[in-house]
Amino acid sequence: MGNHTTLVEFILIGFSDVPKLQGFLFGTFLIIYIVILMGNALIIIITKVDPSLQIPMYYFLGNFSFLEICYVSVTVPRLLADLCRQNRRISFLACAFQMDVFVILGATECLILTAMAYDRYVAICNPLLYPVIMSHRLCVQLASACWITGILVPIGLIYKIFSSPFCKSNELNHFFCDVPPVVQLACGDTLMIEILIYVIATAIINIPFLLVLGSYVKIISTILKLPSATGRAKAFSTCSSHLMVVTLFFGSGVIVYMEPKSTQSTGMDKYLSLFYTILIPMFNPIIYCLRNKDVMVALGKFLQKWTVS
C-alpha cells in the first residue's frame, strides 16, 4: 500500500523541457489550429450549400470535417494554455474526461474513414447500382453507426484505466491525457488493460485499415480497366486523397497504440502523437481541397459569392 497513492490530479509535462521554444510553439500551434478550424469549417459549409456536392461522398466528408474540428479542440486549446502558464495541473476527472472524448472521436474517425472507402468502392466498382445502394438513408445509418460505436467502444477501457491504482509520480510526460502515457503511471498488473487496448485497437484501427486497403485494391484494379484516360485521372484524384489521409491517420495510430507497454518511450510518443492530433488534421482540408476538382470549383463559387455579397 505504501507504493500506491490516491491521485487527485496529474501534471502535464508537455513541452516544458524546451522552455526557450514555448513562444515559438505557441505561435505555431495557434496558426495550425486556426487553419484546421477554418479549413474544415469551409468544407462543411460548401458541402451543405453547393448542390453539386449533395452526394454521399461529400456527406461523409462533411461528417469527417466536423469530427476533425471536435478532435483537435479536445487537445489543442489545453496545449496552448499550458504553453502560456507554469501551472500545468489537470484534475483526475478532467483527465479521464479528456481521454474519453479523445478516444471516442478518434474511434469514430476511423469508422467514418472506412465508410468513405466503402462509398468510393461502390461508386467506382458498381457505378450503375451506386444511386440505389448509397441512398441517403444508408448514409445516415452508416454515419450514425460510426458515432454510436465510437461512443460505446472506449467506456470499459477508460473505466478500467482510471479505476486502477497509480504510482506516486503524477507527472505525465505528454501534452494531453492519451492512453499510453496514463497507463505507464498505473501500478501493479496492467495486463488486462493492455489486452483491452490491443482488442480495441485491432477492432477500431487494424480491421478498418485492412478493409480500406482491400477496398482500394479492388478500386485501383477497376480504375486501371477504365478505357478513358480522363476517367482514370478523375477517379485517381478523388481516391488518392482519401487513401493519403487513411494511411497517415491509421499508420500513426498503429505505431502508438499497438506498441507494447514495456517498449514504449513516452517521450517519443509525445512527439509522434503530434502527427495524429495536430499535423494530420491540418493536412486533411488541404489534401481534400487541392486534390479534388469538384471541391475546388465549389469553394471558388462560394468565395466569389461571399466576396460579392
Side-chain angles (χ1 to χ4, degrees):
M1 291 298 293
N3 293 329
H4 296 171
T5 184
T6 303
L7 290 184
V8 294
E9 63 183 10
F10 290 106
I11 299 174
L12 294 171
I13 301 298
F15 299 100
S16 59
D17 53 339
V18 283
K20 294 183 179 179
L21 294 178
Q22 300 293 293
F24 171 76
L25 291 174
F26 177 85
T28 302
F29 292 144
L30 178 61
I31 292 170
I32 291 174
Y33 186 49
I34 293 171
V35 169
I36 293 170
L37 294 182
M38 292 181 63
N40 284 289
L42 273 175
I43 290 177
I44 293 171
I45 292 169
I46 61 176
T47 54
K48 292 293 183 183
V49 301
D50 194 291
S52 65
L53 301 184
Q54 303 300 309
I55 58 176
M57 174 183 173
Y58 298 109
Y59 172 79
F60 289 118
L61 181 56
N63 267 270
F64 183 70
S65 295
F66 174 73
L67 266 170
E68 287 284 76
I69 291 174
C70 298
Y71 183 71
V72 297
S73 296
V74 174
T75 58
V76 178
R78 170 81 201 200
L79 171 59
L80 293 173
D82 286 344
L83 287 169
C84 297
R85 62 189 176 190
Q86 295 297 319
N87 183 8
R88 296 183 173 90
R89 300 176 185 275
I90 182 170
S91 70
F92 194 77
L93 184 61
C95 185
F97 179 75
Q98 184 186 51
M99 183 190 292
D100 190 31
V101 176
F102 180 80
V103 174
I104 285 172
L105 294 172
T108 307
E109 277 203 22
C110 291
L111 298 173
I112 287 287
L113 286 169
T114 309
M116 292 170 73
Y118 176 70
D119 171 72
R120 291 299 83 205
Y121 167 77
V122 176
I124 293 172
C125 298
N126 297 284
L128 297 179
L129 296 176
Y130 180 70
V132 178
I133 296 174
M134 296 304 296
S135 63
H136 179 69
R137 181 181 179 182
L138 179 62
C139 291
V140 172
Q141 288 174 341
L142 284 174
S144 300
C146 291
W147 277 96
I148 293 170
T149 305
I151 291 170
L152 295 178
V153 159
I155 293 175
L157 174 63
I158 304 302
Y159 172 78
K160 190 69 177 175
I161 291 173
F162 284 93
S163 62
S164 302
F166 286 87
C167 299
K168 288 184 179 180
S169 174
N170 66 341
E171 293 187 350
L172 201 63
N173 190 13
H174 216 284
F175 59 90
F176 75 102
C177 290
D178 202 0
V179 173
V182 173
V183 173
Q184 284 280 328
L185 298 182
C187 294
D189 186 10
T190 58
L191 178 62
M192 184 56 67
I193 295 175
E194 291 188 60
I195 291 173
L196 272 174
I197 292 172
Y198 291 136
V199 169
I200 292 173
T202 299
I204 298 299
I205 300 176
N206 293 4
I207 292 177
F209 188 40
L210 292 175
L211 289 173
V212 172
L213 290 181
S215 298
Y216 273 95
V217 169
K218 297 285 290 182
I219 287 170
I220 291 171
S221 64
T222 302
I223 290 174
L224 293 175
K225 295 175 185 177
L226 293 176
S228 169
T230 305
R232 288 197 299 270
K234 184 176 181 180
F236 269 122
S237 68
T238 56
C239 293
S240 60
S241 58
H242 180 249
L243 191 56
M244 287 172 63
V245 171
V246 165
T247 303
L248 291 170
F249 188 75
F250 281 99
S252 58
V254 167
I255 293 171
V256 172
Y257 291 100
M258 296 301 291
E259 184 183 2
K261 179 184 174 183
S262 58
T263 61
Q264 282 177 349
S265 172
T266 309
M268 287 303 297
D269 286 347
K270 175 173 62 178
Y271 293 98
L272 181 61
S273 64
L274 287 173
F275 281 91
Y276 61 84
T277 56
I278 297 176
L279 296 179
I280 295 174
M282 179 187 68
F283 289 132
N284 287 348
I286 299 172
I287 291 171
Y288 277 116
C289 289
L290 295 181
R291 296 188 61 84
N292 191 307
K293 291 182 179 179
D294 293 336
V295 174
M296 287 297 292
V297 170
L299 181 59
K301 290 179 182 177
F302 173 77
L303 293 176
Q304 186 179 18
K305 187 184 297 184
W306 183 77
T307 303
V308 171
S309 61

